[in-house]
Amino acid sequence: MSTSAPLTGAVLPRGRSAAVFSLLLSAAGLMMVWTWTGGTVFAVSAGVLVAAVVLFCLSGRHRAEFEVIGGPLDGARLPRETVEAGTGILLLRTPDGGGARYAVAGSRSLVYRGQAGTSG
């Protein structure tokens, strides 16, 4: 497992948040201009921006990753392809060369269950 995966996963949500924030702030500004001028084009433009935010959030691409909770890989994000359908327990390599067991949760989470080869 690459150690760059957590860094990549940590940067992308901030960019998405900044984009959504900018779009919603622009929509609010357009609504203010609409109230001052009465121009319908400003209200329609604000509606388009809000619709874009809704579609962006519902697209699901940002929810395609699994988040690792607990253990030596806490906070890492793994691509959806890493976890096969029907997997109950996943064994991941840790940076120190060992292994850790993670249970697959239904909410796209991997919950730490102990080191590989131990019960817990």
Side-chain angles (χ1 to χ4, degrees):
M1 171 165 191
S2 173
T3 57
S4 64
L7 296 176
T8 304
V11 173
L12 292 178
R14 288 186 188 145
R16 276 190 291 273
S17 298
V20 168
F21 176 75
S22 298
L23 288 173
L24 290 176
L25 190 61
S26 298
L30 286 169
M31 291 303 289
M32 289 296 295
V33 172
W34 172 62
T35 58
W36 293 332
T37 65
T40 311
V41 70
F42 296 110
V44 171
S45 298
V48 168
L49 288 178
V50 170
V53 168
V54 169
L55 290 175
F56 180 72
C57 291
L58 292 178
S59 69
R61 276 186 270 173
H62 61 283
R63 289 183 249 159
E65 298 174 328
F66 279 85
E67 182 178 2
V68 180
I69 300 172
L73 300 173
D74 187 33
R77 296 197 181 266
L78 300 175
R80 180 176 36 180
E81 297 80 30
T82 305
V83 182
E84 296 178 11
T87 302
I89 298 289
L90 186 67
L91 179 64
L92 298 176
R93 289 194 188 271
T94 57
D96 63 359
R101 292 182 302 125
Y102 288 89
V104 179
S107 59
R108 296 239 182 249
S109 299
L110 299 173
V111 181
Y112 181 66
R113 294 294 182 221
Q115 293 296 323
T118 63
S119 61

